[in-house]
Amino acid sequence: MRTSELYASEPVRTSLGRTLRPGGEALTRHMLQLVRPAPGSRALDAGCGCGATLGLLLESGARAFGLDLNDGFLREAAGDGRAVAQADLAHLPMADGSLDLIVCECAWNLTDKERVLAEFFRALRPGGVLALADIYARGYRAGEWPVRCCFTQATDLRTVLEQVDGAGFGIDVVEDHTAMLKRTAADFVFRHGSLFGFWQAVTGDAGLAEMACAASRESKPGLFLLLAHVPLQ
Amino acid sequence: MSLTFLPQDMNWVCEPCGVPLEQGKVELDYLGNTFHVELPVCPKCGAVFVYEELALGRIFEVEQLLEDK
């Protein structure tokens, strides 16, 4: 298994389903209630996976499309009739100021984060909105993750806010949804006997599983939701 | 989809009812979270049997996790 695709592993997919992330559809619906995309607005799902959020964006009336790197997920999303393409979020294939909304859920931590924020800022029009949800580290240190995954590059929340602000965005909403992440972890425990059992199922290696558990204890992963906008000129 | 947790020995009887326990659907609630599982249940009074390994294993770890410990 390519360790950068923890979310694509069988144990994770079995528990999380098509949403591929903690919080699932409930968090996305909450996010969209805050954002309230206008009908006809141009929306990008950055890291669209199987297209679950794309479906919700389309329901809201937005003109939505998705980008991802994973071939299999893109085929699944395209099979549902979603407009998707393969692209690196660090090099968005769109013109400056061409988007009204970018939604990015549990994908940002897998990327060149500051480069991606710069691309998001470039592609959004003045007044455009970034809706970002991802893992952050609540603990005293980031933890040394033995596998590359959404936890590996997670920082404390202050650093997240500094990076988003540093990219030029105005931050409007910051919410903690760690309870949803804990619920996901609890589901993994019930299914696999323990978090160690979950990581062993994912990595196939007891040593790596123990290291992942140790990193989790140190970093105490949390889940944030952030809304930001590109300032009007 | 619920997960099933049954002891190796299912020869358990509800003492007040005198009825053998059967596999049944149970909701476990803790700190605002609900988990749908299947456990031995008395078909008469609804009493649920949480065997020791389950209580000290999965359930204990889930409690610790939800309590942020």
Side-chain angles (χ1 to χ4, degrees):
Chain A
M1 181 194 76
R2 283 173 50 196
T3 56
S4 62
E5 296 187 344
L6 169 69
Y7 53 88
S9 67
E10 189 273 337
V12 172
R13 289 212 67 177
T14 300
S15 280
L16 297 183
R18 296 193 80 227
T19 56
L20 303 174
R21 61 188 177 276
E25 190 172 299
L27 184 58
T28 305
R29 287 191 180 278
H30 171 69
M31 177 191 278
L32 293 181
Q33 280 177 347
L34 293 176
V35 174
R36 303 176 85 76
S41 58
R42 299 156 300 172
L44 166 64
D45 183 356
C48 63
C50 301
T53 292
L54 268 180
L56 296 176
L57 283 167
L58 291 168
E59 269 180 29
S60 73
R63 285 186 288 153
F65 67 100
L67 298 176
D68 205 287
L69 283 175
N70 186 293
D71 291 334
F73 291 157
L74 287 169
R75 276 196 296 276
E76 201 171 324
D80 288 338
R82 311 281 186 242
V84 296
Q86 189 173 50
D88 185 343
L89 299 186
H91 303 282
L92 291 178
M94 56 250 331
D96 296 358
S98 59
L99 295 172
D100 301 299
L101 169 65
I102 295 176
V103 174
C104 186
E105 299 164 292
C106 286
W108 184 52
N109 273 336
L110 298 169
T111 69
D112 180 342
K113 296 166 71 173
E114 292 191 346
R115 175 80 188 128
V116 165
L117 283 176
E119 278 291 273
F120 286 171
F121 189 84
R122 179 188 66 75
L124 283 166
R125 62 162 174 80
V129 172
L130 169 63
L132 182 67
D134 218 315
I135 306 294
Y136 75 101
R138 298 179 298 137
Y140 60 91
R141 50 182 284 180
E144 291 180 21
W145 293 87
V147 294
R148 185 167 171 269
C149 58
C150 55
F151 300 105
T152 314
Q153 293 199 110
T155 64
D156 60 278
L157 192 57
R158 179 173 160 178
T159 300
V160 171
L161 300 182
E162 287 174 352
Q163 288 176 315
V164 174
D165 179 78
F169 288 97
I171 296 173
D172 300 303
V173 173
V174 181
E175 295 181 347
D176 184 292
H177 290 276
T178 298
M180 289 186 175
L181 178 61
K182 289 187 201 175
R183 171 52 197 263
T184 298
D187 286 336
F188 290 153
V189 169
F190 270 123
R191 192 173 294 277
H192 296 280
S194 61
L195 275 183
F196 173 85
F198 163 74
W199 281 108
Q200 189 168 31
V202 167
T203 64
D205 184 295
L208 292 179
E210 186 52 54
M211 291 175 68
C213 289
S216 182
R217 284 191 295 272
E218 290 179 349
S219 67
K220 295 188 70 170
L223 180 64
F224 74 85
L225 166 61
L226 176 154
L227 298 184
H229 67 277
V230 173
L232 297 172
Q233 301 301 320
Chain B
M1 187 183 80
S2 60
L3 296 171
T4 301
F5 302 108
L6 300 176
Q8 287 186 338
D9 173 14
M10 269 297 286
N11 291 326
W12 289 89
V13 174
C14 179
E15 188 181 6
C17 302
V19 175
L21 302 187
E22 299 174 359
Q23 181 174 329
K25 294 185 189 303
V26 175
E27 285 187 0
L28 301 177
D29 294 302
Y30 193 63
L31 295 179
N33 297 275
T34 301
F35 302 92
H36 298 277
V37 298
E38 294 195 13
L39 293 169
V41 176
C42 173
K44 188 171 180 182
C45 71
V48 177
F49 177 46
V50 178
Y51 54 94
E52 185 175 11
E53 183 186 348
L54 179 64
L56 298 180
R58 284 171 162 89
I59 289 180
F60 177 71
E61 184 161 344
V62 167
E63 285 177 355
Q64 295 281 294
L65 210 151
L66 295 177
E67 293 171 15
D68 223 14
K69 290 179 181 169

